[in-house]
Amino acid sequence: MINKLVALIKKTGAPIVVGLDPMLKYVPEHVTDRAYAEYGETLEGAAEAIWQYNKGIVDAIHELIPAVKPQVAMYEQFGIPGMIAFKRTIDYCHEKGLIVIGDVKRGDIGSTSGAYAVGHLGHVKVGSKILSGFDEDFATVNPYLGSDGVKPFIDVCREERKGIFVLVKTSNPSGGEFQDRMVIDNESGDQRKLYELIGEKVDAWGSELMGDSYSYVGAVVGATYPEEGRILREVMPKAYILVPGYGAQGGKGADLVHFFDKDGLGAIVNSSRGIIAAYQNEKYASYGPEGYADASRAAVIDMIEDIRGAIG
Amino acid sequence: MINKLVALIKKTGAPIVVGLDPMLKYVPEHVTDRAYAEYGETLEGAAEAIWQYNKGIVDAIHELIPAVKPQVAMYEQFGIPGMIAFKRTIDYCHEKGLIVIGDVKRGDIGSTSGAYAVGHLGHVKVGSKILSGFDEDFATVNPYLGSDGVKPFIDVCREERKGIFVLVKTSNPSGGEFQDRMVIDNESGDQRKLYELIGEKVDAWGSELMGDSYSYVGAVVGATYPEEGRILREVMPKAYILVPGYGAQGGKGADLVHFFDKDGLGAIVNSSRGIIAAYQNEKYASYGPEGYADASRAAVIDMIEDIRGAIG
C-alpha cells in the first residue's frame, strides 16, 4: 500500500491528503436541511448530512489527489449512525480509487492493539469466514504504550500489505508538553528529545517492513514544527511522513520543504478544514454554500500549487 | 459520577471493575452456535454472540460490583455490528445500575478530542436537538498529545459530571519503554520519570474538577508495577486509580496495597479475562461452558476476597 501511495502521489503530482473531518458547522444548510427532512434532527440525520457533504467533496476532488484521511472522532461523536457514515465514506473513497488513511490514533496493550489493527486494517475470523470491519488502507497509531502496543499493527500490516503512521510530533500547541522533553538513555546516558527517541523506534520498526523505497511504517509530524520535521526526516529516512497542521492550523508551504526528500517524495501533507470548509473562507466565498464542493476543488488546486512551489 | 463510583464501591464492598472484553475465543460454543444460526457467520453473528455472552455475565454479577469496563477494541474489530454490541452493552449495564467505564484510550488535538469527549461522555447538538452517542460514565484517555488534547475531555466532564482515567503507567511489558524514561525539566533541570511527570499533570488537571473526596480526573496505573503505584499514589493524592493487569496479566492482590488509600478507597482494580473467561480456567472448569456466567460470578467473589484480604 505504501508503494501504491507513492505511485498515486507521482501520478497526481499532489503530495497531499484531504482530511474528511466533517463538523456539522461546516456542512451547508441545504445539505443539513435535506438530511433532517428525511431523518429528523437525529443522529441518523446528522450522519446523513456529513455523508452527503463528504460525497459531494469526494466527487469534486477525487481525480486530483491520491488519498483522503477521515478523522474518526468526527463520526464517532454521532454514535452508531456516525460510524456508519465513517464506513460509507471509506467504501465510497475506495470506489473512487482513493487511498484511505483512517485517522484513528488507536493504541493499547498487545492483544487489544491487535483487535484495533484487525478492525481497521485487517480481517477477523468469524466461524469459518474471514471478514473485515472498517477496512482502511493506513491507520494512525499512538505509541505511548510502547513497542508491544505498536507491533500488532505491524503484524497486520505485513499480512495485509497495509501501513501505519505513528504519532511522533503532533501539530497542536501543547504537542511539545511531553514530546519535547529531553529524555536520558537508561544505558548510555545520552540525551535526546522524546519525539526523537520515538522517531528512532519508527525507523527500527519500519526497517522490518519495507516497500520498494519507503517503509510501511510512517510517522506523523506536524507542519507547525518545521525544525523538528528536518531532524526527523534524518532520523527516519525510510518513513513516509504524514504532515497535519497545514492551512487552518498555521503551517505554510514554505515550512514543509524539510519534511520532503530531494525528489519531492517522503511526505504527504494533510489539510482538513482548509479544503472541506473552503467555501466558508473569504478567498472562496464566491462559490457560496451551494458551490461548496467546487470551492473545495479550487482549494485543492491552490494547495497543490503552494506545496509544489515550496518543494520545487 | 466519581461520587457515585465511590458510593457504589462502599455499598458493594468491592473495589473492582470487570472488563467486558469479549474475544470470540472466550465465547462458549452454545452461544456462538445460536448467534450464527440466526445471523450467519457474519459480523452481525459475531456481534450477537458477544452481546449475548456479555448479557449472561452481567446478569450473573451485576449485584456484586460497582462498575464494568468494556474495551471498545474488542467490539470495533467487528465493524459497525460490533459497535452496536458495544452500545447495547453500555445501555444494558446502565439498566442494571452499573457504572460504565469506556476503555477507549482516545486522545487527539483540541477540537478532535472534543469530538471524542462528546461522543463518549457528552452530547452533540443536531439542529435544535441535544443527543448522545455512546454515553459511558467514564472514559480512558491517552495523554501523549499534551494538555490541549486532555482539556476538552475535562470540559465535557465538568458539564456532564462524568470522569476520565488518564493513562499514566500502563500494565503491559513495554509500558516502560517511553513511560519510564527519565526526563529533564526544561526550566529547573530536575529529573523524574515521564510517568511521574504525567502523574503530576493528572493531579493538576484534577484539582480543577473535584468531587467530594476524589477528582473526576483519575489515572490508569498497571497492577504489574506496584512500586510505581506507590509513587503515583503520593504524586496524585486526589486521583482515583484504575488498575488493570490483575489476574491474567500477573498482578496479585498483595501487589495492590500501595494503590489504595488507608481507608481502602482510591483505587479500583480491573480484571477482564480472569472473570469473563473464568470457565476456561482450571479452577472454575467444573462449571463447564454452559455455566460460564456462574463461573464468572464465582471468580468475582474470589477476586473481591483476594483484594479485601490484601488491603485489609
Side-chain angles (χ1 to χ4, degrees):
Chain A
M1 196 53 71
I2 186 67
N3 296 338
K4 186 177 169 193
L5 180 63
V6 173
L8 278 178
I9 289 171
K10 285 181 182 168
K11 184 180 159 200
T12 56
I16 74 167
V17 51
V18 171
L20 296 175
D21 309 354
M23 300 183 85
L24 275 182
K25 66 185 180 190
Y26 303 158
V27 181
E29 213 169 284
H30 71 279
V31 177
T32 50
D33 281 353
R34 213 177 300 147
Y36 298 163
E38 193 169 357
Y39 295 95
E41 290 178 340
T42 59
L43 296 176
E44 287 77 10
E48 172 69 10
I50 62 175
W51 152 245
Q52 292 295 345
Y53 171 67
N54 281 349
K55 185 173 176 299
I57 292 169
V58 171
D59 285 342
I61 66 173
H62 69 92
E63 288 169 345
L64 301 174
I65 57 172
V68 292
K69 180 174 76 64
Q71 166 52 259
V72 70
M74 297 304 165
Y75 304 82
E76 211 166 309
Q77 67 181 326
F78 299 115
I80 303 296
M83 294 305 286
I84 294 172
F86 178 66
K87 177 62 176 148
R88 284 181 86 171
T89 299
I90 293 167
D91 292 346
Y92 190 71
C93 290
H94 278 155
E95 274 175 41
K96 294 290 178 182
L98 289 162
I99 287 178
V100 178
I101 301 170
D103 196 353
V104 298
K105 295 191 178 63
R106 302 304 195 240
D108 207 294
I109 67 168
S111 58
T112 310
S113 266
Y116 280 131
V118 296
H120 287 280
L121 300 174
H123 292 84
V124 282
K125 192 158 186 284
V126 177
S128 60
K129 300 284 169 35
I130 304 293
L131 307 168
S132 73
F134 290 103
D135 202 24
E136 299 104 300
D137 303 307
F138 288 84
T140 54
V141 172
N142 186 313
Y144 183 65
L145 288 91
S147 290
D148 67 29
V150 176
K151 289 250 164 96
F153 282 96
I154 296 177
D155 292 341
V156 170
C157 286
R158 180 175 291 114
E159 208 163 292
E160 305 277 348
R161 314 310 287 169
K162 293 188 172 181
I164 55 173
F165 293 97
V166 177
L167 303 187
V168 174
K169 173 71 185 161
T170 57
S171 60
N172 54 319
S174 68
E177 191 171 347
F178 304 126
Q179 298 161 24
D180 285 358
R181 291 284 169 158
M182 198 61 88
V183 299
I184 304 170
D185 193 285
N186 295 346
E187 286 163 24
S188 67
D190 288 348
Q191 295 184 12
R192 54 205 184 296
K193 290 190 173 173
L194 180 60
Y195 72 77
E196 285 187 69
L197 174 66
I198 294 180
E200 290 168 19
K201 294 280 177 183
V202 166
D203 188 60
W205 294 326
S207 67
E208 294 169 29
L209 194 59
M210 283 294 298
D212 291 342
S213 314
Y214 290 95
S215 170
Y216 287 80
V217 181
V220 175
V221 184
T224 40
Y225 298 105
E227 174 58 16
E228 289 79 355
R230 189 188 61 72
I231 293 167
L232 286 164
R233 179 68 289 166
E234 288 176 18
V235 169
M236 322 171 296
K238 294 300 179 193
Y240 232 84
I241 301 180
L242 172 63
V243 188
Y246 173 89
Q249 285 184 52
K252 291 183 181 36
D255 295 333
L256 297 168
V257 57
H258 296 306
F259 294 78
F260 285 87
D261 288 321
K262 291 195 180 65
D263 57 2
L265 294 172
I268 184 163
V269 181
N270 180 76
S271 179
S272 301
R273 190 175 5 154
I275 303 295
I276 68 173
Y279 81 97
Q280 294 182 340
N281 181 329
E282 205 179 331
K283 185 173 176 191
Y284 306 104
S286 62
Y287 287 95
E290 292 280 347
Y292 77 96
D294 291 329
S296 295
R297 185 180 168 89
V300 164
I301 291 167
D302 288 347
M303 179 178 172
I304 293 171
E305 195 180 338
D306 180 42
I307 290 175
R308 276 193 194 155
I311 66 177
Chain B
M1 197 51 75
I2 186 68
N3 296 338
K4 186 178 170 192
L5 180 63
V6 173
L8 279 178
I9 289 172
K10 284 181 181 168
K11 183 181 160 199
T12 56
I16 74 167
V17 51
V18 171
L20 296 175
D21 308 354
M23 302 184 82
L24 275 182
K25 66 184 179 190
Y26 302 158
V27 181
E29 212 169 285
H30 69 280
V31 177
T32 50
D33 281 353
R34 214 178 299 148
Y36 298 163
E38 193 171 357
Y39 295 95
E41 291 178 341
T42 59
L43 296 176
E44 288 77 10
E48 171 70 8
I50 61 174
W51 151 245
Q52 292 294 346
Y53 171 68
N54 281 348
K55 185 173 175 300
I57 293 168
V58 171
D59 286 342
I61 67 173
H62 68 93
E63 288 169 345
L64 301 174
I65 57 170
V68 292
K69 181 174 76 63
Q71 166 53 259
V72 69
M74 297 304 165
Y75 304 82
E76 211 166 308
Q77 67 181 325
F78 299 115
I80 303 295
M83 294 306 286
I84 293 171
F86 178 67
K87 177 62 175 149
R88 285 183 85 171
T89 299
I90 293 167
D91 291 346
Y92 190 71
C93 291
H94 278 155
E95 274 175 41
K96 294 289 180 183
L98 291 162
I99 287 178
V100 178
I101 301 170
D103 197 354
V104 298
K105 293 190 179 64
R106 302 304 196 240
D108 207 293
I109 66 169
S111 58
T112 310
S113 267
Y116 281 131
V118 297
H120 287 280
L121 300 174
H123 292 84
V124 282
K125 192 159 186 280
V126 177
S128 59
K129 299 283 169 35
I130 305 292
L131 307 168
S132 73
F134 290 103
D135 201 25
E136 299 103 301
D137 303 307
F138 288 85
T140 55
V141 172
N142 187 314
Y144 184 65
L145 288 90
S147 290
D148 68 28
V150 176
K151 289 252 165 93
F153 282 96
I154 296 177
D155 291 341
V156 170
C157 286
R158 181 175 291 115
E159 208 162 295
E160 306 276 348
R161 315 309 288 168
K162 292 188 173 181
I164 55 173
F165 293 97
V166 178
L167 303 186
V168 174
K169 173 70 185 162
T170 57
S171 60
N172 54 320
S174 67
E177 189 171 349
F178 304 125
Q179 298 161 23
D180 285 359
R181 291 284 169 159
M182 198 62 86
V183 299
I184 304 170
D185 192 284
N186 295 346
E187 286 162 24
S188 67
D190 288 348
Q191 296 184 12
R192 54 204 183 296
K193 290 189 173 174
L194 180 61
Y195 72 77
E196 285 186 69
L197 173 66
I198 294 180
E200 289 167 19
K201 294 281 178 184
V202 167
D203 188 60
W205 295 327
S207 67
E208 294 168 30
L209 194 59
M210 283 294 297
D212 291 340
S213 314
Y214 291 94
S215 170
Y216 287 80
V217 181
V220 175
V221 184
T224 41
Y225 299 105
E227 175 57 17
E228 289 79 355
R230 190 188 61 73
I231 294 167
L232 286 163
R233 179 68 290 168
E234 289 176 17
V235 168
M236 324 171 293
K238 295 302 181 192
Y240 233 84
I241 302 181
L242 171 63
V243 188
Y246 173 89
Q249 286 184 52
K252 290 183 182 38
D255 296 332
L256 297 169
V257 57
H258 295 306
F259 293 78
F260 286 87
D261 288 321
K262 289 193 182 67
D263 57 2
L265 294 172
I268 185 164
V269 182
N270 180 76
S271 178
S272 300
R273 190 176 6 154
I275 303 294
I276 68 172
Y279 81 96
Q280 294 183 340
N281 180 329
E282 206 179 331
K283 185 173 175 189
Y284 306 104
S286 63
Y287 287 95
E290 292 279 347
Y292 77 95
D294 292 328
S296 295
R297 183 180 170 88
V300 165
I301 291 168
D302 288 347
M303 179 179 172
I304 294 171
E305 195 180 340
D306 180 42
I307 290 175
R308 275 192 195 155
I311 66 176

